Amino acid sequence: MVAIQTIDLTRSVGSPLRRPVLVNRICKLSYRSPQIICSATTDKSDIIRAVPLAAGALGITSVLANRLFSGIEPALLAASSQSRADVVAIFLSAVLCLTGLQWLSLKPKAPKMVELEGELVNYFREEMPPAAVQDLEAAWSAISWATKAKFMVVFKDEKCVMHVGCMLPGHIAGTAVPGPICLEAQRKGTGNFLANLALFPGRAEFYTYLPRNSQSVIVQPCGERGVVVIGSGTQRAFTVLDQAWISAWNDKLEVALENSA
């Protein structure tokens, strides 16, 4: 039997969400554990990169020490099986050393992170039934808690029904309209991840209602009538796990939008 616990996932981004969200703790742990492992690996990346170099150096040292203390002649004789084994061991150790040096010289550039220049917003369309609003709030709580998402906009029938997190300064909440990228994703039924928004010419459609320094955006279709825009102030903010998490909650959003008709 799976135990369900009620947890209040209140976030500092946007207005507080006062409704407690029913979350399956086992699902949360199964999602977070790969991220914890990934984080631990990233924190010790320099040590991990140095492992081949250390292993290669240890291999060469072991071969030389074996030659020195075992009484074997220092000269390499082709007829000797020990000499042939030493040559192979030194060659493999040298490959490990070169691999380690290459790994140490290649360090990935950290993704750019900025503080979004926008206003806090917590908008829900008045016509939305309370049950649908609660589902939307639950989705935002879960997504913003588990990922680096800083804003979320939901469109239905090309009208904004939800805008939480950050918005463009001076923008009137609820007046956002989906642009060509959103409409194309809705029409094809396939999502689009703009990992570095500044590189995409179509970014102008998001700058009409999102902070101008937004770094990455996910556009996810929500049924035949809706589309969801989720973004962050960090480049390449959403991993494959994050996208899977968002896609899972998107199914819930689709049901909520359909029931709000």
Side-chain angles (χ1 to χ4, degrees), residues 146-188:
T147 71
K148 296 178 181 178
K150 296 298 181 184
F151 54 79
M152 176 173 165
V153 186
V154 179
F155 297 102
K156 178 185 176 183
D157 297 330
E158 301 186 19
K159 295 179 181 178
C160 179
V161 298
M162 171 185 174
H163 191 161
V164 293
C166 292
M167 69 175 182
L168 182 72
H171 175 73
I172 301 175
T175 60
V177 293
I181 295 177
C182 294
L183 295 177
E184 184 72 8
Q186 180 180 340
R187 184 180 66 84
K188 291 185 175 181

Side-chain angles (χ1 to χ4, degrees), residues 6 23 27 46 49 62 91 129 175 190 232 240 248:
T6 301
V23 180
C27 289
D46 290 339
R49 290 192 185 96
S62 300
F91 174 76
T175 60
T190 55
S232 174
V240 175

Side-chain angles (χ1 to χ4, degrees), residues 26-48:
I26 292 180
C27 289
K28 287 168 51 177
L29 291 176
S30 65
Y31 174 80
R32 296 295 285 181
S33 54
Q35 283 196 334
I36 294 171
I37 294 171
C38 182
S39 176
T41 305
T42 304
D43 294 341
K44 297 178 174 57
S45 58
D46 290 339
I47 298 175
I48 294 173

